[in-house]
Amino acid sequence: MSWFLFKRIVRAIFTVLAVTFIIFSVIRIIPGDPVRMIVTGTAPESAVEELRKELGLDKPIPTQFLGFLKKAVRGDLGESFFRSKSGAVGMSVGGSSVERIKIVTKGVKGLKQLEEEAHKRAPVTNLIIERIPLTFTLMILTLLLGLLISSISTFLSFISRRWASGIESLTVFIQSIPNFWLAIIALLIFSAKLKLFPGAGYRGFKYLILPSLVLSFILIAPLFKIMHQSMISILNEQFMIAAEARGLSRMKLYGHVLKHFLSSIITFLGLQLGPLFGSTIIVEYLFSLPGVGLLFIYAVLQRDYPLVVGGVMFFSAVFIIANFLVDILHGWLDPRAREWA
Amino acid sequence: MGKGRFARRENIEKLISLSKEVMMKYTKLIGLIMIVGMAVSSLAFAESPAEPTGTFTFASAEPLTGNWDPTSHTILAQINIENQIFDKLYFAPSGVDNPGKLIPGLAVSWKQIDPRTMEYKLRKGVKFHDGTRFDAKDVKATLEFYSDPKKPGFGWIPGKLNVKIIDDYTAWVKTEKPLGSLLYSLGLVVILSDEDIAAGRVKGRPNGTGPWKFVRQEKDTTILEANMDYWAGPVRFKEFHWVYVPMTTARLFGLLAGEYDAIERVESEHVPIIEKDPDAAVQSAASVENKWLIFRCHKPPFDDWRVRRAISHAIDREGIVHILGRAGTAVEAHIPRAKFGYAPTPNNIEYNPKKALELLAEAGYKDIRDFPTLEYITSTGFYPKTKEYAEYIQATLGAIGINVNLKVFEVSPWLESLYNPEAADMIDTGWCSGTPEPDQIIRTIFHSSTQRMTFVSDPVIDKTLDKEQATTDLEERERILQKETLPVLMERVPALPLFTSVMIWGYRKELKNFRGWPANFFYLKDVEPPYGENDVYREK
């Protein structure tokens, strides 16, 4: 098991590094100059060049990457080109939740420090950390809604064969709808016209219901299929027939079914993490939810290089860790998987 | 007193007499008490000014810069929010009916002392948000801070400024040479505290005298609170939430759902949707922004003004305005109607493909097949309908045999190309300044000393721009602009003004007195006396 873990960890680190280097280089090569976006139109060339040097963008890309790595191993992903720390702390407690924690833990000294540093660029780690709770809440809510709707669909499909084919057709139809179109239609009908849900933005938990419903649509059809097929195949297994013949109680039977059932669901959900992340970014943008996905899109549009690279590292790390946990869980649920690994 | 019938009558007479005596003696005192009582009760029951309540939420199409130094940028959204937090010497509504109108702000009056000196009398009793007093020292520090040639925002100011303090509330602004453009240019400058400038706190600390105080930044929302000590009285809302929402449909749906009280840069096809909604409305204003087709005048083929003029004749600007719908209006000069000195130029370029070919022949392109393929860059994701009208320009030029290679870039690479002299032969952009001052457009883009975007270096253009800039008499300056400068620009056409942008705002109907200004910002506080009458408020 420990050799299994070690191999996984080493592979994960190399993957994150490779992805980071590719994105680090690509974002600097494609057209778009963040320096011009910062200083804008009437700035003299000298101001442009001065800022370029200050941001380290005059150096070759490999040199820049090495400099970035040296800081990254210490947990420092650099500073955003465009976002400053907290704004104005001089007159009130400022900005990010991370900054506020600093004030609470360091007291007056923390407040003074923030006041002196208010104009400095915000650390990428802080910007990402403060948005993680919203993105993760959205994703978890999506998963729960997807599981709930698929479970209900699966249950209904076992009531009647006609219902089963109807539900299957419906879920396939739902899956074929592009989620960006669905998001716009959902906002127009349920928010703007019917006012059943709040509109774009985030001012509380209820703002996550419509976006997570829209996001869950990418999970419903495949989840329903897997649940439906898994149930049928498990119930037809010889050990189930034998267990029933031995007179095991319903609860014990369900226990056996559940273990096999969960194994396939968890594997599937692990595979869906990548597409789910991608869709979360789009949905956050469409609904203007201030999560990590929206931050990442702004960073790309503004060419905020440190924030783009930090965002990529975050997504790839979460994706790798999640798959890693899925492997562990799968191995625990199904001993055969441990042997194959 | 006596008894009996006669005694009773006597007593009554005595009583009456006594009463009269008392009345005579104490009338004045009683009268005084009544007056004082009425005065006190009127004060006690007088209607106290309404306390600010509720939140006003605005969805912005552009992000803020994260840097509160107003001289570090030229971003419209940042200028808009700075206008909420800071004040200026005067406010310039820039309306098409009276573009030169100025409303006193921190300056209550001003006059030209000599061609190089402008005197400002300042408003007394004004405080910054940190409680410090506003006076002439702040004006001196601010104007000298702004007019540093190394600053990005220096282009807005006509030259280096020196300010002499006459007394606490009088300042003389001195220029190195006579500058007729000084008056309106200073309408863009927000006044900072001299202490903040000296301490280097300007970047991280927005400390103004404006109707709104900065509270904090929460992710993409900037939160402001009412300044209860504002010199024109407090605003009617308690909080102002400024939210960055780049997607037009997200802004639209947010408005319709009641999430946002007002939104900006509404697309013209969304206007009917808003107008159909019972709770929302639309407001539009011909702005101070022209959209330009910029020619790269430093290299062939556009180093010849005849070629520029020929291409301009081959572009159907009326058709472009039609494509824009409500988002654009025709323009007949190199400055929009909302600018001081505007007048339709007599030599305005009309759509005339035949004339285009004649001019090209004159410039040496007798056979149109010899004309090079033009590289044209447009943007997407910020201005409305850019791709659509760029394609139309490509088509109309193609109709006379000119090949155009059109590239559509998102904002960041487009912006980089805009200032890169080697990128493309033509590129389109908007240019806007929030004052009536025409030089902030025509001098910034067309004078050889600035070399901005067009990279034009034309002594004829320079001469007329220098002449109007140096004229301090407003009437004379207006005459020069209308009779000389604008016609020269239309003849040499270093850039073609395609149309004037119409700024379209959407807002909730329950908001009363909401008014967007042509410079694409707005005030929730009525800055024109009598203060308070036209403040924006929410009708319940």
Side-chain angles (χ1 to χ4, degrees), chain A residues 36-232:
Chain A
R36 261 298 165 195
M37 291 197 76
I38 295 168
V39 301
T40 64
T42 50
E45 277 308 309
S46 55
V48 175
E49 288 318 308
E50 202 181 305
L51 184 60
R52 202 182 299 286
K53 256 195 197 139
E54 190 192 314
L55 299 176
L57 297 175
D58 56 328
K59 300 187 183 112
I61 292 175
T63 314
Q64 290 183 45
F65 186 66
L66 281 171
F68 163 77
L69 273 185
K70 271 189 211 161
K71 292 195 324 190
V73 291
R74 294 195 307 264
D76 177 4
L77 296 179
E79 286 145 5
S80 164
F81 286 168
F82 291 90
R83 291 166 190 261
S84 65
K85 281 187 180 189
S86 60
V89 188
M91 282 158 287
S92 65
V93 172
S96 75
S97 46
V98 175
E99 305 290 345
R100 278 185 225 134
I101 289 167
K102 212 186 261 187
I103 293 167
V104 166
T105 52
K106 289 190 179 176
V108 172
K109 206 174 158 188
L111 185 63
K112 219 175 153 21
Q113 188 183 357
L114 276 171
E115 197 177 311
E116 282 158 17
E117 295 178 356
H119 66 283
K120 291 187 182 170
R121 299 193 177 93
V124 166
T125 21
N126 287 11
L127 289 169
I128 291 175
I129 287 170
E130 71 173 359
R131 289 171 184 249
I132 284 174
L134 190 141
T135 299
F136 276 6
T137 309
L138 179 63
M139 289 180 71
I140 290 167
L141 197 57
T142 301
L143 287 170
L144 290 174
L145 274 173
L147 282 167
L148 179 68
I149 296 170
S150 316
S151 307
I152 294 171
S153 311
T154 308
F155 174 73
L156 289 173
S157 70
F158 278 106
I159 292 175
S160 143
R161 265 209 195 137
R162 216 184 301 164
W163 282 23
S165 64
I167 289 170
E168 190 174 347
S169 307
L170 184 64
T171 53
V172 167
F173 171 72
I174 285 169
Q175 195 187 18
S176 59
I177 301 173
N179 58 13
F180 60 85
W181 185 85
L182 192 62
I184 292 170
I185 296 298
L187 270 171
L188 177 63
I189 295 172
F190 296 109
S191 177
K193 293 272 182 214
L194 299 175
K195 304 207 193 317
L196 289 174
F197 292 98
Y202 179 75
R203 294 187 206 196
F205 180 77
K206 61 183 176 180
Y207 286 76
L208 296 181
I209 298 173
L210 193 58
S212 51
L213 205 55
V214 166
L215 262 176
S216 68
F217 274 32
I218 62 168
L219 296 175
I220 290 171
L223 260 178
F224 165 77
K225 244 199 177 120
I226 286 180
M227 284 183 178
H228 190 77
Q229 295 299 330
S230 296
M231 283 296 281
I232 291 172

Side-chain angles (χ1 to χ4, degrees), chain B residues 8 48 57 174 191 198 213 258 313 318 330 335 345 351 402 484 540:
Chain B
R8 261 203 311 276
S48 44
T57 306
K174 291 179 160 299
I191 302 299
K213 291 186 196 182
H313 274 298
E318 237 182 81
I335 54 176
T345 43
Y351 176 51
I402 293 177
E484 296 175 30
K540 298 260 191 288

Side-chain angles (χ1 to χ4, degrees), chain A residues 31-34 36-44 47 82-84 86-96 100 118-119 130-131 184 187-188 191-192 195 198-201 203 207 285-286 288 290 294 298 300-303, chain B residues 57 63 65-68 72-75 129-130 149-153 155-156 203-207 214-220 244-247 249-250 253-254 256-257 259-260 277 279 410-413 415-416 419 431 444 452:
Chain A
D33 181 8
R36 261 298 165 195
M37 291 197 76
I38 295 168
V39 301
T40 64
T42 50
F82 291 90
R83 291 166 190 261
S84 65
S86 60
V89 188
M91 282 158 287
S92 65
V93 172
S96 75
R100 278 185 225 134
H119 66 283
E130 71 173 359
R131 289 171 184 249
I184 292 170
L187 270 171
L188 177 63
S191 177
K195 304 207 193 317
R203 294 187 206 196
Y207 286 76
Y285 179 68
L286 293 167
S288 287
L294 187 59
Y298 292 164
V300 171
L301 290 174
Q302 290 180 305
R303 301 295 192 270
Chain B
T57 306
T65 65
N67 180 342
W68 290 102
S72 67
H73 69 89
T74 53
I75 298 291
H129 297 152
D130 65 356
K150 292 202 288 288
K151 293 219 182 273
W156 298 127
K203 268 191 209 180
R205 195 185 188 211
N207 176 29
F214 179 90
V215 176
R216 66 180 181 276
Q217 183 75 31
E218 267 191 18
K219 301 196 184 85
D220 297 320
Y244 171 42
V245 184
M247 236 187 93
T249 38
F253 294 144
L256 298 177
E259 290 301 319
Y260 309 131
D277 191 283
D279 300 318
E410 46 147 325
V411 173
S412 183
L415 201 61
E416 188 184 4
Y419 301 105
W431 197 262
T444 305
R452 197 91 41 205

